[in-house]
Each structure stands twice: as C-alpha cells, then as structure tokens.
Amino acid sequence: MPIEIVILLLVAVAGIAGSIVLLVFNASLQRAAADGPQDEAEAFFPDGLRSADAPLSAEVPLQAEGPLPAEGPQFSENALPAAARQELQFTPLDREPENQRAARPAPAAPEAVQPAAPGSTVVGRIALSIGNAQDIGTRAQQQDAFAITPLEEELVVRDHGVMAVVCDGMGGMENGAEAANLGAIQFMRAYLAADRVDDDTLVESVYRANESVYNAFAGKTGELAGTTLVAASVLPDGLRFVSVGDSHIYLFRKGKLYQLNRDHNYFSELLEEVKAGRMTMEEARSHPERAHLTSFVGLEELELVDYNVSPVPLRPGDRVLLCSDGLFKTLSLQEMTEILASSRGFGAQEELLAAVRQKAKRKQDNVTVVLLYCDPVE
C-alpha cells in the first residue's frame, strides 16, 4: 500500500520583504528496500559527469589535461584550459602518487567535529543536518526558491534519503519568481514520486520540472519563463547531484572547497574559442553576453543537464553547499572557504550571508544558501 508522506517545502516568494513561505504538500509513493552503504575504499569522485543531450543510459567519459586527480572533478575530452578552470573556480583535488598510496599508514581518525544537532537524521554512516539562509539583496523581488525534505520524517529518509533543491528565477524574464517556485515544487514532487531512487532519478525529476515550467508559461501564455536548478540527494551510498543553469553545488572537505558542477552559460562556449586561439581570455571575460544561460528549466527542449555518474561517498566533517549566484558572484572562493573552515556549530550559512551583506554591493542579487552538515553518528 502506498504511504502518505508530508514534505516540508521552504520557498522564497515574490515581494519586497523577500519573505520565505512554508509550503506543505503530500505525495504517495512506494519503494524497495534502501541500498547498502558504499565501500569506504571507493574513489571519492565518480568517473565523470553525464550530459542529458545523450541517452540516459549512455555515459560520457571525461578526461582532464595532465594527470587525473585521485579524487576530483574531471573535464570532458575537449578539456578546458588552465585559465578557464581558474575562472570557473574549480579546485583540483590533491593527487597522491601511486607508489605512496599502497604504503601509506592507516588514515587517522576524522577531525573532531561538532556533534549532530537536534533534528538531524542518520543516513548511512553520517549524521546529516541542514541549514539555510536567504536574502533579497537590493532587488525589488525575491526570485530564489528552495525546498528541503523534512529530516524528522523517517519514511522519507528511509525511502528517498535527504533532498535539497535551489532554484534561481531568471530576472531578465517575466515570472522569474513563479518559475523558481514551480521548478522547486515540481522537481521535489517528481523525486518523491519515484518508487526507487537510482542514478537517473534526479535527471528525470529535472525533466518533469522543466515540462511543468514550460507548460505553465511559454506553453500556455507564450511568455517564456525560466529558472536555474541545482539539487543534491544524500542516500546511504553517497551524494547524487544535478544542475541546470549557473547555480552551484560545492563540497567542503578538510579545509578545501570543491565546485562539483559546471555552469551552463555562454562563457563556457567562449572558453572553447579561447582554447582554439580565436579569442583571448580577456575578451571572453569582458564579453557582454558571457553570463547568458545556455540551459535552464523552462525550455521547450531541455538538452544540457549536469549530473554525476556514481554516488559521491560522504565523510564525517564534509559540508555540501548549494547556492544561487548571488553568493559566489559576491564572495570569492577563498572567502567562502575561510568562512566554512572557521565556522563552528551549524551557523555557517548565516555567516556566509553576513559576509555578503558586509560587501554592501550596489546591485546585490538575491542570495540563497542551503548547507548540508555531515557529522559522525553518535
């Protein structure tokens, strides 16, 4: 028999106040028993990302320039130049020489971290807590939205793990706030409606959300509306993520911050021109259309979607950060890293937001931060 699950949806709605509205909706679902945890010895990062312009069953191998890191993001076969990687703020994970890896001593115990906060839940071998923070910036309307599954709902956690999604409505279009809210809601509904979470569930949920947003606006009124979307699902076997547009997902581990996804914007295409020698990096960085999105939720045909092929095993002490561009276009990667490294307890999301406000940018965009805290199971 299907089981009734109450889902807590936190979204940002339009309005000068930029208030957050609490939405509750139900979903009926059924699922097989949860999979067991992944072996700790498995590599942290998957073999690569898949793009949804290929069939879901087709894996696109990615390669990097130079030696591949033992644990880290990998670029496609038309690899980005080093300057491009720096511009995109990817942090390469450290590589340990093969001849040293076999002889290395047993890993030390995880660094001391704060105990799990009240309201956390156990997923696999970690205690998971979630924090969120949001600010309207100097905009007249809040066009960010986010949704989080409730940690206290044991049936949700058992069958679907923990899911968080952040959407950033496109400010240059009408109905940006509505598109973000609808995208977050429909993505979450599709995810929870799946009988079993597998490697394709997140991508399929993105397509359902895209269909809903397109039909609600362009397909109905002829007025195109769009939103970015980045989502993370944590199950016993690790982290799955998916992204469309230019919102980001990061992994903070052992004092370093790693961007897991890549932007879908015209700047990425300009980098190919730089690589081919037809444009300088300075010309690419100053191009007036560099920030234009090449993929977003709300298109008639969604072609570009980034997601990981295999789950990313999580460790105690890890932090998973989802955010809209109002954060990383205001704070540098170093500033974000320092805040996460120095933060104690479960308030890093508020510290990130405070740092944004301290910048006092004249045209500060909306900011949304969702932070997943992975800590030892007591």
Side-chain angles (χ1 to χ4, degrees), residues 43 49 53 67 78 81 115 134 190 197 209 228 245 255 277 302 349 351:
L49 302 176
D53 51 350
N78 51 351
Q134 193 173 57
V197 178
T228 71
L302 182 60
Q349 64 278 354
E351 295 179 33

Side-chain angles (χ1 to χ4, degrees), residues 60-143:
V60 180
L62 301 181
Q63 302 174 5
E65 293 180 303
L68 291 177
E71 301 180 358
Q74 301 176 16
F75 295 91
S76 61
E77 56 186 10
N78 51 351
L80 301 177
R85 293 199 293 272
Q86 182 178 4
E87 177 72 19
L88 290 175
Q89 295 190 330
F90 279 95
T91 303
L93 284 158
D94 297 333
R95 178 178 176 85
E96 185 177 20
E98 294 288 344
N99 59 355
Q100 295 181 17
R101 197 174 306 163
R104 66 183 176 183
E111 298 178 6
V113 294
Q114 299 291 327
S120 66
T121 189
V122 175
V123 180
R125 288 177 268 185
I126 61 172
L128 193 66
S129 304
I130 300 182
N132 61 80
Q134 193 173 57
D135 191 78
I136 194 172
T138 61
R139 304 300 193 194
Q141 186 182 47
Q142 177 59 267
Q143 294 193 338

